Amino acid sequence: MNFKEISILLLISGLTLNSCKNTKNEEKITTANASNEIKDENTRLIENNNSKSDADDNLAPLIADYINNKFLKPADKKVMSEIDKKFSMHQSDLNNDGQKEVFVYLNSPYFCGTGGCTILLLSPNQELITKFTVTNPPIFIEPTFKNDWKILTVKSEGEWKELLNINGSYPSNPTVLDKASYDAPSGHAEIAFDEKENLKFYKF
């Protein structure tokens, strides 16, 4: 093998080696980019959860004040234990006016029975819209409107019930409603008090 052939062979080997290095570098860059995208998405999720938590934390004292001073009767306060004085909440704009109504889930022995629990729906100004009785979360908030309010779906006594807002209020007792015409909520529904969610409770 002459000098020219050896030079060509070394050149080909060098190009092949560089190509392999470049491929590995590209793979590292691609992997790093994918990892950064996952981190960015996780950061966005955390920021969204933190924003929701901050909004709930700010609203919680107002909800507690409403429960103590407007919703509860003196007779209630006399017999309630400390374990009963808690609530969770979920905010959602139900009438598309740019302000969020508030579901208040009173999940304690005093407010719950075999049929379900008491859930309040309050306006953004803490005025009562609906007091739901014997209602089991989760509440599915459909993106569709009826009478200018979003349709709610809950499961009651093994059947899906559709709750429509009529004259400014939703039906208070899902057990007396007819079975919904569909077998399940839509896949686009917002879920209040999701069973898989670690609900945050506040004291009142």
Side-chain angles (χ1 to χ4, degrees):
M1 183 179 293
N2 57 36
F3 179 77
K4 184 177 181 181
E5 291 174 335
I6 293 172
S7 297
I8 292 171
L9 194 59
L10 289 173
L11 180 61
I12 292 171
S13 299
L15 290 172
T16 302
L17 184 60
N18 284 335
S19 176
C20 290
K21 286 181 179 179
N22 289 337
T23 300
K24 288 180 179 179
N25 286 336
E26 288 174 2
E27 288 176 353
K28 287 180 181 178
I29 292 171
T30 302
T31 303
N33 288 341
S35 178
N36 287 336
E37 287 177 4
I38 292 171
K39 288 178 181 178
D40 289 343
E41 179 60 25
N42 288 339
T43 300
R44 282 193 292 272
L45 290 174
I46 291 170
E47 286 176 348
N48 288 338
N49 286 337
N50 286 342
S51 296
K52 178 183 182 298
S53 179
D54 290 344
D56 286 352
D57 290 347
N58 292 334
L59 182 61
L62 297 176
I63 301 299
D65 181 71
Y66 170 83
I67 295 171
N68 281 315
N69 297 313
K70 293 184 179 180
F71 176 68
L72 292 178
K73 296 178 174 60
D76 294 318
K77 296 179 182 181
K78 285 182 180 179
V79 296
M80 288 177 64
S81 65
E82 284 302 312
I83 198 173
D84 294 316
K85 298 176 181 180
K86 65 175 183 176
F87 67 94
S88 185
M89 73 177 92
H90 181 91
Q91 299 185 63
S92 181
D93 185 359
L94 300 180
N95 56 2
N96 203 30
D97 66 351
Q99 294 184 298
K100 292 183 177 181
E101 284 69 37
V102 188
F103 290 96
V104 181
Y105 178 24
L106 299 168
N107 180 19
S108 71
Y110 189 79
F111 295 103
C112 297
T114 55
C117 298
T118 296
I119 298 176
L120 308 177
L121 177 59
L122 304 181
S123 74
N125 298 319
Q126 294 83 58
E127 296 172 344
L128 184 64
I129 296 173
T130 304
K131 175 186 172 183
F132 299 100
T133 59
V134 290
T135 300
N136 287 311
I139 298 174
F140 292 84
I141 305 166
E142 297 291 349
T144 49
F145 288 80
K146 184 75 173 179
N147 302 327
D148 298 323
W149 287 75
K150 289 182 178 179
I151 296 172
L152 308 180
T153 305
V154 297
K155 200 165 193 178
S156 177
E157 299 181 328
E159 296 181 338
W160 289 106
K161 304 295 181 73
E162 183 179 77
L163 282 63
L164 304 180
N165 190 303
I166 300 173
N167 298 325
S169 181
Y170 289 94
S172 61
N173 186 352
T175 64
V176 302
L177 299 177
D178 293 333
K179 182 179 179 297
S181 59
Y182 40 82
D183 295 327
S186 76
H188 304 290
E190 175 187 348
I191 305 176
F193 313 119
D194 190 345
E195 295 170 338
K196 299 176 183 178
E197 184 181 356
N198 186 19
L199 298 182
K200 184 173 183 177
F201 284 90
Y202 299 88
K203 297 287 291 180
F204 64 81

